[in-house]
Amino acid sequence: MEQEKIGTAQGKEETAILTVNGKTIGLPVITGTEGEKAIDISRLRQLTGYITLDLGYGNTGSCTSAITFMDGEKGILRYRGIPVGQLAEHSTFVETAYLLINGRLPIQRELQAFSVMLNDHSLVHEDMKFFFQNYPRATHPMGILSSMVTALRSFYPELETLSHTENVNMTMTRLLSKLRTMAAVSYKISRGHTPEYPRPDLSYCANFLNMMFNSPVKPYVIDDVLVKALNTFWILHADHEQNCSTSVVRMVGSARVNLYAAISAGMAALWGPLHGGANQKVVEMLEKIQAAGGDAKPFIARAKDKNDPFRLMGFGHRVYKTYDPRAKIMKNICHDVLARLKTDDPLLPIAMELEETARKDLYFIDHNLYPNVDFYSGIVLRALGIPTNMFTVMFAIGRLPGWIAQWKEDHDDPGWRLHRPRQIYVGNTVRDYVPMSQRTEAGAEPGKAAAPRSGRKPAP
Ligand code: CMC
């Protein structure tokens, strides 16, 4: 076999050696600050003519990033190096947003200035209310909000005249402040009520709850425990490295589209039931278990059945192969909020029982399926009074700082390139166009498709 040394990684500690089609090449090994290793294949095609194939990107690093670190085996999640548990305990959502976007905790003066900016930009253009009013009543709030975020861009044509930095700072602030207002406006309008304006004397989270629930006939009483719960809920969702929606934001952003459009695309991805839409699906699943008498076993049996696409919602994660650290904190918030409200949610014991039964089951043990952040978050949101169809909107408001930070990191990267994956084509080889008059039913050929991976459950 021909052995040709084509390239080695110069000045790197480690090199991966790959032999392909008789040629041996050295590929640089990149080591992250937490010791994670990656083989840099950026010259692979140029050197060998081959590409890598990694369905679902389980082994593909799409970027280097200094924002969030997670270790799925150990259940670690840190934002800019700070454990998420510490932030949940001591920080606020606004401070955590600053941390994610700017890379460090703010000093008092900076946090104050950031809060003032968020307050100054918290109103939405009055004309936007017409958009909300004209959506069909049955529209899912995620559909409304993702299109509204794109529409926001049209209200600020002056952006083009600002410097790039001013433009980006203004846009980031507007998004962070207005998405929260827009979510509350869409809720009020969906109920046929007049939207509530933001108040300058209230904090970010208290303001949101007030805009959602204050009414001229029933003033909303702001409760510190509930405000703290919302802060924690949003902190826990604030970033999660290269998840589906964040990868979308980076991908779309790499085309140098404006930030509103990139965030809107991320929101569309988050809407999916396997991603941010899972929190709504968890509650719907728990309600079904409750309606069926409270016995979770038939649902667990379905989740294990190879021929049934049903999955236990709120269980499993692409990266975590142990407890999602966010799920543990979320479970504690459930108890805090329900205790404060002096109420019970019948779904909580069902969820706890389901968790216990599943965690003893061999299928869930063997597949490393643990509760994820969405498993208990719906119960927290229900207790706060958030309607089920707005659960994913709540996730989106929380994830916004992460999307912005990731977009900015990609945008400011001197090594930036348009994101453009390749593929292995498995369709028809060249064939001639057949005129309509010569086509027959029998002649209709199905396209060739790659064989599905055997033994897997059908897609949910
Ligand atoms: N219930 C039953 N089986 C499951 C589940 C589940 N919730 N999740 C994964 N599996 C099985 C799956 O059937 C497959 O089995 P097999 O190898 O025997 O065919 C195996 O576990 C691996 O599944 P996968 O689809 O390759 O795993 P993934 O890493 O692509 O999926 C996931 C991750 C989150 C999409 C998946 O666990 C899932 O669908 N969970 C339910 C939806 C959910 O809770 N999503 C929220 C995720 S956390 C919030 C967020 O970050 O968005």
Side-chain angles (χ1 to χ4, degrees), residues 355-371:
E355 176 189 349
E356 209 181 310
T357 315
R359 284 308 309 143
K360 284 185 199 143
D361 190 292
L362 261 187
Y363 175 90
F364 288 85
I365 295 170
D366 288 349
H367 284 75
N368 290 319
L369 297 171
Y370 292 81

Side-chain angles (χ1 to χ4, degrees), residues 133-175:
Q133 273 154 354
N134 289 323
Y135 265 98
R137 284 286 144 137
T139 310
H140 193 282
M142 281 298 278
I144 300 179
L145 273 190
S146 65
S147 52
M148 286 303 196
V149 166
T150 315
L152 259 185
R153 173 69 186 81
S154 316
F155 285 88
Y156 304 108
E158 87 285 357
L159 281 179
E160 298 303 337
T161 63
L162 300 177
S163 74
H164 170 72
T165 310
E166 283 173 329
N167 179 335
V168 168
N169 286 341
M170 184 68 81
T171 302
M172 289 188 310
T173 314
R174 279 194 174 125
L175 275 168

